[in-house]
Each structure stands twice: as C-alpha cells, then as structure tokens.
Amino acid sequence: MSVRRRRLRRSPATAPDPDVRWQAVELRAEWSSHALRAEPAGRPATEDAITALYALLDEPPPTFVWVDSPAAAVRVLPPSARRPAFEPPWPLESRLATMVMELRQRLDRRGRSDFLHTGVHEVLRRVVRESVAGAVRSQLAAPLGVMWYGQHDADWVAYHDIRHRLGLALHHARDAGQLALWATIARSCGWWWPRQDVCVITERPTAVVTEPVPGSEHGELRLHNESGPAVTYPDGWAVHSWHGTRVPRWVIDGPTAELIGAERNVEVRRCAVERIGWEAYVDQAGLTLLAQAPDPGNPGSELQLYDLPSRRPEPRARLLLAVNGSTERDGTRRRYGLRVPPWFDDPVDAAGWSYGLTGVQYARLQRRT
C-alpha cells in the first residue's frame, strides 16, 4: 500500500492536529453555553426551523403553543401525546423520530471521530443530557410521550456540527441542511413536543446553577446550588440539586434530623445530612456514640461509631463517621458517614469492613484514599 493511500485511510480522529483539538474545545464551549443558556427563547428561529422539519414530512406548519416550563407543557399536551402508537398510520411525532434516527445513522456512516466522540459528545451527554435534562425529567411525574430536548439535545447535535465545521466529515447537502435545522432548535429553545396540528414548546430556564465536577478531565459541570434551586423556569417551576443529585426542596431550604429520618431515599438522606453537616445531624438526631478511635488509615483523623435508630423496612445499622483521605479542590477534607452492620462495636473493624478488610488488616494500611 502506498504512503499516499495510507494517509487517505488514516482517520483524522486518531491523530488530529493540535489546532483542530483546540478548535474542538472552543466549539464545545460554545455549544455548552447554548445548552446551559438561561434567557428567553429565540421564538422566530425556533418556529421557522420546526416548520421546516414539518415540511420535510409534507406537513403544514403547526400551531405553536409556548409555555414557561416542562411541567406546564405536560399539562397542555394533547391526550394522544401521552400514549405510544405502535400501529400505522404513524403519528407525526413517530415519523419525525424515524427521520432524525435515519439522519443520525447516515451522519455516523460518514466516519467516526473518536476524539470528538469522547471530548464533545460524551462530555455534553454527561453535563447536559444526564445532569441537567435528567434532573428536570425526573422531577416530572407524568409520562412525556415522544418529545425532544431543544437546547438539551446539544450532545449529538454538537458532535455532528463540530465534525462538519472542522472538516472532519463531509455531509451530503440534504443531511447538512437537516442538521442545521436541529442545530438552530438546540440554540434557540427548551423542550418541545411536535404533534399533528400543534407544537408545544417550552421557554429556556431563567437560571441554571452549576459547579465543576471534582477531578473531571474536561472541566465538566454538574447541577448544584446550596441556597436555592439549581434550575428555575419562568413560571417558578424549579429543580433542586446537591452536588449533582436531584433532591426535594426541603433538603436545600430546611433540612432537619426529623425530615432526614422520615426520608426513604438513601441518596436524598445523604445529601440532607451533608447539607446540615454531620455534627449537627448527630446532635439533632440524638445519636449515641458507641466508640471512637484514631483512624490508622488516615493519620490525624478519628473514627466515630454511632448507633442508628431502626427504620423499617431497612435493617438495623450503625453509623461510622470518618474523614476522607483525599483533599477536596479547596484543600479541605470532607467528613462522611457510612452505614455499617449493627454487630460492629469497634470503629476500626467497621472501617476495615467498608474496604473488604478485617480491622487488623485495615490498621496496617499506610494511608487510605
């Protein structure tokens, strides 16, 4: 095989030029700003792009209904939007879903850019689709039907858009045109529900509060606000989050040992305890200290073992308080609690159990992390 042919077959994703990498990072930041934007939607651009998608399905423009949050959208959706359709004639939303699926398949066949897939698609998927959109969706109790996320569809749209803009994929004119429509929607609005004669579209949030994910390779973000909602919409509907975990409002506004004790979700309990601090929780809950000892795996720190009140249907347990062996980004060491079996009376044995070790083995560790 000639050198020239080897070069032609060499994927630009395997060894991209450094300048291309930096351009990709800058374009990812551009798309991240669209995905997390908290300002009024661009209504004319949104409606024009959606009208063009309807036209690709030989459908006339729908009546556009704008609402202020996904919760408000669920209340005004046509009844047919709440149940899937499995038999023809296929509803418009199903035909649109097929059309975009086929578009993405064609774009994927134009070649895969591994470094863009990892550094753009996967990063935005974690930050936008899983963290932000995931939290918003889990706050909604009602089924959503077939819908799209608008700005929160940035992961796949950005991936293909950046490949095209950097010259790493040559799209057919028809596909490039359709991708441009999806890109316009992702830059212009919130979630949307296309139906036969009507399209329900949400405004973008008025506030999105995030924090860096500790130790993330690509400077990823997650939802977090210790003094209010992490996501707020124009009608006041909101989502609360503690270091990336969606929580009920009381966890942020007023956690107490009583509310924590009544909470059945383990992750929500953990977040609420962290919100008020372990010392305050132990004091408010009136936990009984059974034993304490220096932490052999973390010199200078102490292990404390408490008895926990029984919570049905959960089995009895005890609480081990320890200090993290690794420092946080601000240089502090986080204190945390672990539920351990009720037969432990020695905190060193309980700490060893959490690592799959005996207390004697744990005591021989030089330092844990």
Side-chain angles (χ1 to χ4, degrees):
M1 181 184 295
S2 69
V3 174
R4 184 174 182 273
R5 290 187 65 190
R6 284 200 300 269
R7 286 177 179 170
L8 287 175
R9 291 192 178 185
R10 184 185 186 191
S11 169
T14 59
D17 184 278
D19 287 341
V20 173
R21 283 186 176 274
W22 281 113
Q23 290 177 57
V25 170
E26 291 175 353
L27 291 174
R28 184 186 69 202
E30 174 191 310
W31 270 107
S32 181
S33 70
H34 290 306
L36 301 178
R37 181 162 294 170
E39 61 184 41
R43 295 194 178 191
T46 300
E47 293 182 2
D48 287 348
I50 292 176
T51 295
L53 288 178
Y54 271 63
L56 291 176
L57 297 173
D58 296 323
E59 293 289 344
T63 298
F64 291 102
V65 177
W66 284 88
V67 294
D68 283 338
S69 70
V74 170
R75 292 193 293 268
V76 303
L77 283 175
S80 61
R82 299 178 185 273
R83 63 177 186 273
F86 299 105
E87 297 180 357
W90 305 111
L92 177 139
E93 60 266 31
S94 296
R95 289 186 285 133
L96 183 59
T98 299
M99 186 174 74
V100 70
M101 178 187 68
E102 292 174 348
L103 169 68
R104 294 177 64 175
Q105 289 174 344
R106 290 194 301 272
L107 296 178
D108 285 337
R109 286 197 293 268
R110 304 300 294 176
R112 176 186 171 109
S113 299
D114 291 337
F115 85 101
L116 284 184
H117 191 271
T118 300
V120 174
H121 186 277
E122 290 302 304
V123 170
L124 292 177
R125 178 183 60 81
R126 289 189 292 269
V127 172
V128 180
R129 187 173 293 273
E130 294 181 1
S131 179
V132 181
V136 172
R137 182 157 191 154
S138 66
Q139 184 91 342
L140 296 165
L144 301 182
V146 180
M147 47 79 65
W148 280 267
Y149 293 104
Q151 67 188 118
H152 297 157
D153 274 324
D155 55 348
W156 74 267
V157 176
Y159 169 66
H160 291 296
D161 174 69
I162 293 174
R163 287 178 64 207
H164 183 65
R165 290 163 71 178
L166 294 182
L168 300 178
L170 299 178
H171 299 153
H172 293 300
R174 178 192 62 175
D175 292 341
Q178 189 183 149
L179 177 62
L181 296 177
W182 289 98
T184 296
I185 295 169
R187 292 187 180 105
S188 305
C189 69
W191 297 13
W192 58 291
W193 286 258
R195 298 297 181 257
Q196 191 65 46
D197 300 311
V198 64
C199 183
V200 179
I201 316 173
T202 67
E203 276 288 344
R204 287 186 287 218
T206 56
V208 178
V209 185
T210 61
E211 67 171 3
V213 176
S216 62
E217 180 181 357
H218 300 283
E220 295 167 35
L221 302 172
R222 64 187 180 189
L223 290 178
H224 173 70
N225 189 359
E226 63 183 24
S227 59
V231 181
T232 307
Y233 281 88
D235 60 1
W237 189 78
V239 176
H240 294 75
S241 180
W242 178 260
H243 297 304
T245 300
R246 187 184 69 83
V247 295
R249 178 176 176 175
W250 64 264
V251 172
I252 304 299
D253 289 352
T256 64
E258 183 178 359
L259 289 172
I260 294 170
E263 175 59 51
R264 303 189 64 165
N265 185 289
V266 175
E267 280 297 291
V268 171
R269 284 208 306 264
R270 175 188 61 79
C271 293
V273 171
E274 290 181 0
R275 176 74 178 89
I276 64 175
W278 284 100
E279 289 81 2
Y281 171 69
V282 168
D283 181 63
Q284 288 185 26
L287 301 185
T288 301
L289 178 63
L290 299 176
Q292 57 186 9
D295 187 348
N298 194 4
S301 300
E302 193 169 56
L303 298 169
Q304 296 176 327
L305 188 65
Y306 291 87
D307 199 22
L308 283 174
S310 178
R311 293 191 186 96
R312 293 184 179 181
E314 296 179 4
R316 288 191 59 84
R318 287 181 171 170
L319 174 69
L320 176 70
L321 284 189
V323 177
N324 200 353
S326 302
T327 58
E328 301 297 311
R329 295 171 69 92
D330 59 5
T332 61
R333 295 185 186 276
R334 182 175 65 89
R335 196 166 192 190
Y336 63 95
L338 294 172
R339 289 173 66 89
V340 298
W343 54 78
F344 284 114
D345 296 316
D346 185 340
V348 175
D349 289 339
W353 172 85
S354 70
Y355 285 90
L357 304 172
T358 66
V360 173
Q361 291 171 327
Y362 179 77
R364 293 173 181 167
L365 292 178
Q366 291 185 349
R367 187 177 185 85
R368 64 174 169 79
T369 57

